[in-house]
Structures are given as C-alpha cells and as structure tokens.
C-alpha cells in the first residue's frame, strides 16, 4: 500500500501543471497576450463619445470635434444655439448638425448653416437636463456630444459705455447698458471693466462688478492723459453658466490737468485775509506785551523789599531842610507838650533822617514833642483833612492826636510858600517810590503841617517837620497798591 | 378544512406582498435645491398665470370688471365643482410630493389642446415636461391616455354650442390656474423641507 501510494505521489508530481516548468511558461505567455489584446482594444475603442445606435466610426474623431454656446432670449423669446468645428480645416460641405432631447413638443431639430458656423434659433429649448448634439454625414451620425444648454450660455455684449467726469467729487462715473436687464432667464451677470492708458498697450486695469455703474477716482489716474475703457459679461447665477461675452465697443476719455496750482478765488481771498490778520495780531501782541498783556496775564506780585526802599527814599540833594528857628518865623508854631511824644519823635528821626540835626534842634524838637502822644496806630491821612494855611486839625479817626501837646519845631525858610518842596519828604515817605512825580496835594504842607496836638494851645499851632514826617512815615496799605 | 386554512395562511400574504409594489409608486424628485424650479419652471408658471388672467378678462379696466363680475364668480364656483375630484384624489401630502407633481404634470398636458397661443403652449409644455423630468416615478401601471377635456355635446343650435364652448374654456382655465397654484405650493414645500433637512 505504502509503495503504491508513493508511486501515485510521484505521478502526481510529474504531471502537476503548476509545478511543471513548461506549463508555467505557456501560462505566462497566454496571460500576457490576452492582457495586451484587451489593452489594445480599450485604446482603440477610446473615448470618442456617445453613440446612440453604436454604428459610428471613431477613426476621424479629432477632425470633427466641435464646441457650442447658447444665447437665451436673444431675439424676443427665441434662443440661439451656435456650434462650430474646432478644426477650421474641416470640410463641412455635407456635414449637418442635429440636436435631440431637451426640447419641447419635438424630439429633434436640425441646425442651419451660415458659412462655417451651424446655428439654431428656437423657443423650444426645455432648459432642463442635457441635450445631445450630433454631426451627421449623409444621415449617419459621425460624432455626438451630450451637453447642457444652460451651462454654455454666452451673454450678449454690453453696449453704450459712457464716462462722465464729476468735478466736485474728482471722480469718473462709468456707466454701460446690457440687454440682459430685461430678460427673464439670464438676468444676473458679472461684468468685467478694463481700462488703460492709450499709450500703454497690454497694461489693462481690471475691475469686476455686478452692477452697470463704476466709479474711478481721479487721483488714481494720470492727469492730462487719454484712457480707453471696455466691458464684457459672464453669467453669475447658480444655475446658468457659460462663457465671457464679446467686448463692448471701446470708449475713450481724457483726464483733466493737475489743478493743484489753481485755487478757488474765494478761497484765495480768505487765505490772504486770514494771513494778514494773524500777522497783525502777532505784531500787536509783541508791541503791547509788556505794557498791557503781561500785567494781565502774569501780574507781578508786590515785592516788600522794593516797596520799602521806595518808601524810604533819600531826600533830594537840593532839598533845603533847616531846623533853624529863624526859618520858621513865618510859620505858626504850636507847642507840643508831652515827654512821650518827644521820645518817639527822636526815635523816629534817628531812623529816618541822617543824624545831621544839631543838638539845639534836637532839644527844640524834644521840647516840642513833650507830651506828644503819637498814636500807636497808623493814621489814615487824606489830603482833604488839611487846609492850606489853616491850622492843623485833628485827623479823622485819630482822637489821640488831638490830645497830644504841641511840638515846637523849626520852620523851614520857605514855609510860607507852602509845602511844595518840603512835604516832598513826607510825601515820599508815605506814598512810596511809585509816586515820585505824583500830583497829589501835599499831605503835610509846611504851613498846614502843624498838628493840633493840644486843644489848649490852638493859638500857637506848632509845625514840625518832625511831626509831619512822623505822620507821613506811617505806611499805609494803600501805598503798596500804588507802588504796584 | 385543513387544506382551506393552509390556502388562506400561506397564499394570501405572499399575494399581498407581490401586489404591494404594483399598487405603490416609487417617485423621487430631483432638483431639491430649487435651481431648476426657480430659474425655469417658476418663470413659465408665472407666464401662464398672466395668459390665464388675460384670457379670462381679469384686467384692471373698471368696465370689464363690472360687466363680468357676476359671471366670473359663477365660473369659479362651477370649475371647482367639476374638477375638484382631481384634488380630492391627489394632494401634496407629506412624502407624496413627487407623486402629486407627477400627476399634476400629466394633467397639464391635456390643456395643450386648448391652443390659446404658441407661447402659451410652450410654457405649458415646459412646466409639464420639466416637472416630469424632475419627478422620476417608476410606477408601472397601464399606459393611461391623458384624460380628454371632454367633447362638446351636440346641441340644438350654434349659439348654445358657442356659449358652452366658452364656458368650458373658462372652466379649464380656472382649473389650470388652481392646478398651477397647487404645483407652486408643492414645490415650495419640497424646497422648505430640503432646507430644514
């Protein structure tokens, strides 16, 4: 048994087609040949197109390839479908075009021929679904194409391109017209507007718009140049598609010259007037700065040191002051009682006047100030309170002055003439630096400078420059304001 | 008895299963995005509405309106009564929109014989044929001839015959107007459902 089986196994191995070398080769050759045949068949059959009845010849397919485009509502409600061979050398003498499917009320329609173009104008397009267009030769279909008419729409070219210049806005308004605005099917289009300088060929600027109006800014164009502009359209809906239309007739326009140098006359006048006004204001500001403007804008604060210096001005050199009693003969001298007054007057004189007085004069002054009780407060001295040669009167508001005894004082030589020169000293003390040339009446004319210090001795009014100088030496607040 | 029960148990249900596909129709609608309807069909439907309005003298001129007011009301009521059976049988119910459109498109073909004008017929054919193309129904029923609009009955005199024809024309136009409105409504429903989903 075992031996029999082994023999059988050997026989099987010997005759096994898979493992036999010759069979392998034969199988390989057969498979390769079959594959090549199928490949060649596929290549030969190719993609020549759809054939309804299958009896077409593809040998001359490339020669009869064609393309078509449609124009809807081109003539009222009628549509146009145009086809032409892609190869212009095709002999189209006996060739015909036919469209089937996608038609209303009929099954097929034949094209008309115009030179090398085949067309059909009809209302009977269904506009839904595909249609089949075939080339026929002697009733036989040579080649066919399946196409959807609504996907091959070529709009009509725009027309009436106009360019209007708006000077007030410095812009150009481009408008054009298209017949599709009144159509029912292909209403929405995309328009391409192109423009260029006439001297620059092939340098077109492109603008895409969906409306029939475009605005070009003047600043983006060259001044004083000639431009060319034209428009074309393409369907812009989600259903109708196709090709660009033909270009519209070109329109030309010229840009104005650069008018930056020219100005509006009214604007020119206004600018000149405003310039001169500003210049005048600047000049006036410079001239009046120190006197008028600066005191208002930056008022100066009173300086106490300067004020005090002005108040304590040195007497003039030519001031003739004398304490000789003989010079006071014409003046009424009122005796002043009171030791206190003397002391205070002496103290004041030492501070204000240089120590030039004689001892006799000092004694005289000292006696004169006996009993003088100067008011401790500042007296409000006004010119009105003193007369010319009238005896001294009591100061308003200074009762204590009246109670003070009369101070004997010397009389200046020009006492009778009034205190025009003399009181300058006291005036200077009182009024300060700002009023050196003031026209104020002398507060303490020598003749009237006699203080009625003691009502009991009014008959001998005693004028003392010391007393008046003491009166005048009191600084009032008003002097500060005057010094400003 | 035993054999009878077997007949009913094992015979009838398969029969029902076999007959169900025949009774039901398999309709599907293309163009649910509404491109074909909005760009082509709706334009033709509106044009047909204008034709119908013109034919039925429903313009704004006061003279005509006052003259034909009573007769128009009578016509409308009559046409609804006569052809309302169609709308009773077919309606744009849920999941039956394609079927209704298919039936309505077939019904429209009978109005081609009215020969009102060439453009009228073209628009009518576009709506009918376009709707049929979009609503693919695979119902394999018997080939039905489109129901005719009816023939005029022989009358005694010409005047009566003429008035009957005129009345019938008005009725047909009335029915067509209602049919177009139903088609529009059904399309709008389909598009609305497509947007929601």
């Amino acid at each position: 048994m075992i031996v029999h089986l082994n023999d059988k196994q050997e026989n099987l191995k010997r005759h096994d087609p898979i493992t036999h070398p010759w069979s392998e080769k034969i199988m390989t050759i057969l498979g390769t040949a079959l594959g090549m045949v199928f490949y060649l068949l596929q290549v030969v059959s190719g993609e020549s197109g759809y054939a309804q009845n299958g009896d077409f010849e593809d040998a001359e397919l490339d020669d009869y390839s064609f393309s078509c485009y449609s124009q809807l509502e081109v003539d009222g409600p009628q549509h146009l479908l145009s086809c032409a061979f892609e190869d212009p050398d095709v002999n189209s003498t006996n060739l015909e075009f036919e469209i089937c499917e996608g038609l209303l009320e009929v099954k097929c329609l034949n094209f008309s021929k115009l030179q090398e173009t085949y067309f059909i104008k009809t209302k009977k397009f269904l506009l839904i679904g595909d249609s089949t267009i075939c080339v026929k030769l002697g009733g036989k279909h040579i080649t066919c194409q399946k196409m959807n008419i609504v996907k091959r729409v070529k709009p009509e070219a725009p027309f009436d391109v106009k360019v209007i210049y708006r000077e007030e806005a410095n812009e150009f308004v481009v408008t054009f017209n298209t017949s599709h605005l009144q159509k029912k099917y292909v209403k929405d289009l995309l328009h391409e507007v192109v423009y260029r300088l006439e001297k620059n060929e092939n340098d077109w600027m492109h603008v895409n718009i969906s409306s029939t109006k475009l605005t070009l800014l003047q600043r983006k164009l060259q001044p004083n140049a000639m431009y060319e502009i034209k428009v074309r359209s393409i369907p812009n809906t989600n259903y109708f598609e196709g090709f660009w239309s033909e270009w519209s007739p070109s329109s030309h326009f010229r840009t104005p010259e650069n008018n930056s140098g020219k100005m509006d006359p009214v604007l020119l006048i206004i600018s000149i007037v405003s310039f001169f006004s500003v210049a005048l204001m600047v000049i006036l500001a410079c001239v009046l700065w120190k006197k008028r403007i600066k005191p208002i804008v930056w008022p100066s604060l009173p300086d106490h040191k300067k004020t005090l210096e002005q108040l304590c001005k040195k007497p003039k050199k030519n001031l003739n002051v004398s304490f000789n009693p003989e010079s006071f003969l014409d003046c009424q001298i009122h005796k002043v009682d009171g030791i206190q007054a003397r002391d205070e007057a002496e103290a004041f004189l030492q501070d204000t006047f240089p120590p030039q007085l004689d001892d006799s004069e000092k004694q005289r002054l000292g006696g004169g100030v006996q009993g003088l009780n100067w008011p401790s407060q500042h007296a409000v001295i006004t010119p009105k309170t003193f007369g010319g040669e009238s005896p001294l009167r009591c100061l308003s508001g200074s009762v204590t002055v009246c109670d003070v005894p009369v101070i004997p004082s010397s009389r200046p030589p020009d006492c009778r003439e009034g205190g025009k020169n003399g009181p300058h000293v006291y005036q200077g003390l009182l009024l300060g630096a700002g009023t050196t040339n003031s026209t104020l009446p002398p507060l303490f004319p020598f003749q009237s400078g006699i203080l009625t210090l003691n009502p009991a001795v009014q008959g001998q009014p005693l004028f003392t420059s010391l007393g008046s100088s003491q009166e005048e030496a009191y600084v009032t607040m008003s002097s500060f304001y005057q010094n400003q | 008895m035993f054999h009878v029960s077997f007949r009913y148990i094992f015979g009838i249900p398969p029969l029902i299963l076999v007959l169900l596909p025949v009774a039901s129709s398999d309709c599907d609608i293309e163009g649910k995005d509404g491109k074909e309807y909005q760009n082509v069909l709706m334009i033709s439907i509106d044009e047909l509405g204008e034709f119908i309005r013109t034919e039925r003298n429903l313009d704004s001129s006061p003279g005509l309106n006052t003259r034909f007011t009573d007769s128009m009301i009578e016509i409308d009521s009559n046409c609804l009564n006569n052809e309302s059976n169609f709308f009773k049988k077919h309606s744009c119910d849920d999941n039956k929109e394609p079927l209704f459109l298919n039936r309505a498109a077939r019904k429209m073909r009978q109005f081609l014989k009215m020969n009102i004008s060439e453009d009228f017929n073209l628009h009518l054919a576009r709506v009918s044929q376009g709707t049929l193309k979009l609503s693919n129904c695979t119902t394999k029923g018997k080939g039905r001839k489109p129901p005719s609009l009816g023939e005029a009955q022989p009358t005694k005199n010409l005047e009566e015959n003429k008035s009957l024809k005129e009345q019938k024309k008005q009725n047909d136009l009335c029915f067509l107007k209602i049919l177009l409105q139903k088609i529009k409504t059904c399309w709008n429903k389909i598009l609305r459902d497509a947007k929601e989903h």
Side-chain angles (χ1 to χ4, degrees):
Chain A
M1 279 298 280
I2 296 170
V3 175
H4 184 66
L5 286 171
N6 286 335
D7 289 337
K8 280 189 179 178
Q9 286 177 357
E10 285 177 359
N11 285 333
L12 282 171
K13 281 183 184 177
R14 201 178 298 128
H15 295 292
D16 187 1
I18 298 170
T19 55
H20 199 275
W22 284 108
S23 62
E24 285 180 5
K25 287 183 182 177
I26 291 166
M27 291 298 290
T28 308
I29 292 166
L30 277 174
T32 309
L34 282 171
M36 286 180 69
V37 167
F38 280 121
Y39 176 73
L40 285 170
L41 278 173
Q42 192 175 1
V43 168
V44 169
S45 63
E47 298 175 354
S48 59
Y50 173 80
Q52 278 182 330
N53 50 11
D55 54 351
F56 62 90
E57 295 175 1
D58 294 334
E60 301 178 351
L61 172 66
D62 295 338
D63 295 336
Y64 294 108
S65 61
F66 59 92
S67 62
C68 303
Y69 67 88
S70 62
Q71 289 181 308
L72 305 183
E73 296 175 277
V74 67
D75 184 11
Q78 286 196 325
H79 314 302
L80 178 69
L81 179 64
S82 297
C83 296
F85 291 106
E86 291 177 358
D87 186 2
D89 298 330
V90 170
N91 184 9
S92 59
T93 307
N94 297 320
L95 295 175
E96 293 174 350
F97 274 76
E98 182 187 56
I99 178 171
C100 297
E101 296 177 16
L103 299 173
L104 297 171
E105 298 178 346
V106 294
K107 198 173 181 185
C108 295
L109 287 171
N110 287 322
F111 281 66
S112 303
K113 188 176 179 181
L114 180 64
Q115 294 178 356
E116 299 299 323
T117 306
Y118 296 83
F119 70 96
I120 181 170
K121 191 183 271 188
T122 179
K123 304 178 195 176
K124 296 184 180 179
F125 289 137
L126 176 60
L127 302 180
I128 295 176
D130 294 336
S131 300
T132 304
I133 300 171
C134 295
V135 179
K136 293 197 304 183
L137 178 62
K140 276 190 172 180
H141 287 175
I142 298 176
T143 180
C144 294
Q145 282 189 26
K146 203 169 199 177
M147 61 180 67
N148 194 338
I149 292 173
V150 300
K151 305 296 180 186
R152 291 178 170 268
V153 177
K154 181 178 178 179
E156 294 177 57
F159 58 95
D160 198 18
V161 180
K162 292 180 184 174
V163 182
I164 299 168
Y165 175 60
R166 288 183 58 201
E167 192 173 354
E168 62 273 11
N170 291 331
E171 62 186 16
F172 293 89
V173 178
V174 181
T175 58
F176 55 92
N177 203 351
T178 175
S179 58
H180 286 266
L181 294 174
Q182 289 82 34
K183 296 187 191 297
K184 298 191 196 84
Y185 295 105
V186 186
K187 287 184 288 189
D188 296 329
L189 299 174
L190 180 69
H191 308 287
E192 184 186 19
V193 181
V194 296
Y195 59 94
R196 67 167 182 184
L197 274 166
E198 280 191 340
K199 57 185 179 182
N200 293 345
E201 293 186 1
N202 299 327
D203 188 14
W204 294 94
M205 303 293 291
H206 298 258
V207 181
N208 288 337
I209 55 173
S210 57
S211 64
T212 58
K213 185 179 174 183
L214 174 67
T215 301
L216 297 175
L217 297 175
Q218 183 182 353
R219 66 169 186 266
K220 294 189 177 179
L221 303 174
Q222 285 192 15
N224 195 23
M226 189 63 101
Y227 278 85
E228 180 187 358
I229 188 168
K230 57 185 181 182
V231 188
R232 65 176 180 177
S233 308
I234 193 170
N236 192 29
T237 66
N238 55 358
Y239 185 67
F240 295 102
E241 299 172 4
F243 314 103
W244 284 105
S245 69
E246 299 296 331
W247 286 106
S248 68
S250 292
S251 182
H252 302 269
F253 64 97
R254 178 177 284 276
T255 52
E257 292 180 9
N258 194 2
N259 59 355
S260 63
K262 296 181 184 177
M263 285 184 68
D264 192 10
V266 175
L267 193 64
L268 185 65
I269 291 167
I270 291 170
S271 61
I272 291 170
V273 169
S274 60
F275 172 75
F276 279 112
S277 304
V278 169
L280 186 65
M281 286 175 66
V282 169
I283 292 167
L284 284 173
C286 292
V287 169
L288 299 175
W289 171 256
K290 204 168 185 181
K291 282 189 181 178
R292 298 282 182 96
I293 301 172
K294 191 183 175 186
I296 297 170
V297 173
W298 194 263
S300 60
L301 297 173
D303 190 355
H304 301 290
K305 192 176 179 181
K306 287 184 182 176
T307 306
L308 199 61
E309 286 176 356
Q310 287 169 358
L311 287 173
C312 302
K313 263 191 179 176
K314 290 184 180 178
K316 290 182 182 177
K317 289 182 180 177
N318 55 353
L319 185 64
N320 193 4
V321 178
S322 174
F323 293 95
N324 189 1
E326 294 177 356
S327 62
F328 295 97
L329 290 175
D330 295 335
C331 295
Q332 292 180 349
I333 300 172
H334 297 270
K335 195 173 182 182
V336 177
D337 293 333
I339 298 174
Q340 185 178 359
R342 180 190 63 186
D343 292 337
E344 288 178 358
E346 284 178 354
F348 179 75
L349 284 172
Q350 284 174 1
D351 291 335
T352 56
F353 289 98
Q356 296 174 356
L357 297 173
D358 296 338
D359 292 341
S360 60
E361 289 180 353
K362 282 185 183 176
Q363 289 177 0
R364 196 180 301 117
L365 287 170
V369 299
Q370 271 187 352
L372 184 64
N373 184 13
W374 290 103
S376 60
Q377 334 179 11
H378 291 286
V380 179
I381 302 168
T382 59
K384 293 184 181 176
T385 58
F386 297 94
E389 297 179 353
S390 60
L392 287 173
R393 297 177 183 169
C394 296
L395 298 171
S396 59
S398 55
V399 178
T400 52
V401 176
C402 295
D403 295 333
V404 176
V406 177
I407 301 172
S409 62
S410 62
R411 179 185 171 188
D414 55 349
C415 178
R416 186 174 292 179
E417 295 175 357
K420 285 188 182 178
N421 294 327
H424 287 272
V425 178
Y426 310 105
Q427 288 178 5
L429 289 173
L430 285 170
L431 301 177
T435 56
T436 49
N437 297 324
S438 85
T439 55
L440 288 173
L443 294 176
F444 284 98
F446 273 95
Q447 293 179 353
S448 61
I450 300 169
L451 296 171
T452 309
L453 301 174
N454 191 357
V457 289
Q458 285 182 356
Q460 294 180 346
L462 176 64
F463 172 78
T464 58
S465 61
L466 176 62
S468 61
S469 66
Q470 287 179 347
E471 286 278 340
E472 292 170 350
Y474 282 92
V475 176
T476 61
M477 288 303 294
S478 62
S479 65
F480 283 104
Y481 292 102
Q482 290 172 5
N483 289 332
Q484 291 176 7
Chain B
M1 288 296 288
F2 181 75
H3 296 285
V4 173
S5 63
F6 262 101
R7 200 176 298 163
Y8 285 107
I9 292 169
F10 296 107
I12 295 173
L15 193 64
I16 294 171
L17 288 172
V18 169
L19 288 176
L20 269 177
V22 177
S24 65
S25 61
D26 187 15
C27 282
D28 190 20
I29 191 82
E30 291 178 10
K32 287 185 179 179
D33 53 0
K35 289 180 185 177
E36 288 85 355
Y37 168 69
Q38 289 171 349
N39 290 284
V40 179
L41 296 178
M42 196 165 71
I43 294 168
S44 291
I45 290 171
D46 293 338
E47 290 291 319
L48 287 171
E50 281 296 314
F51 276 111
I52 293 168
R53 191 177 68 81
T54 307
E55 285 293 316
R56 296 189 67 204
N57 295 324
L58 289 175
D59 54 355
S60 59
S61 56
L64 285 170
N65 280 337
T66 54
R67 187 178 172 185
F68 293 106
T69 304
D70 295 335
S71 60
M72 281 192 297
I73 293 171
E74 289 176 0
I75 288 169
D76 285 341
S77 60
N78 287 335
C79 77
L80 283 172
N81 289 331
N82 291 335
E83 300 288 343
S84 62
N85 292 332
F86 176 84
F87 297 116
K88 286 180 183 176
K89 287 181 186 177
H90 307 286
S91 60
C92 189
D93 295 331
D94 292 340
N95 300 320
K96 289 185 181 178
E97 298 91 349
L99 181 62
F100 171 78
L101 289 176
N102 190 274
R103 294 290 181 264
R106 289 175 187 275
K107 185 74 175 176
M108 286 177 71
R109 289 192 291 184
Q110 70 186 20
F111 294 96
L112 291 170
K113 296 175 184 178
M114 293 175 69
N115 287 326
I116 294 174
S117 67
E118 184 186 358
D119 290 340
F120 177 85
N121 284 355
L122 286 172
H123 285 296
L124 196 67
R126 184 171 288 115
V127 176
S128 173
Q129 204 166 328
T131 305
L132 286 171
K133 199 177 183 79
L134 294 173
S135 61
N136 293 323
C137 288
T138 58
T139 305
K140 293 182 181 178
K142 291 180 181 178
R144 282 187 172 184
K145 278 176 83 174
S148 62
L149 295 173
E151 298 176 357
Q153 297 294 327
T155 52
K156 290 182 180 180
N157 50 31
L158 288 171
E159 288 182 0
E160 287 181 1
N161 195 12
K162 194 176 179 181
S163 66
L164 280 171
K165 276 187 179 177
E166 188 64 30
Q167 189 176 359
K168 191 176 182 309
K169 180 183 176 183
Q170 296 295 328
N171 291 342
D172 291 340
L173 290 173
C174 173
F175 174 76
L176 181 60
K177 181 184 171 186
I178 296 170
L179 184 64
L180 290 171
Q181 288 174 353
K182 297 279 186 187
I183 291 172
K184 238 183 166 179
T185 305
C186 202
W187 265 112
N188 290 333
K189 186 183 174 190
I190 291 170
L191 297 177
R192 192 172 57 245
D193 293 341
K195 278 184 184 177
E196 288 174 1
H197 296 297

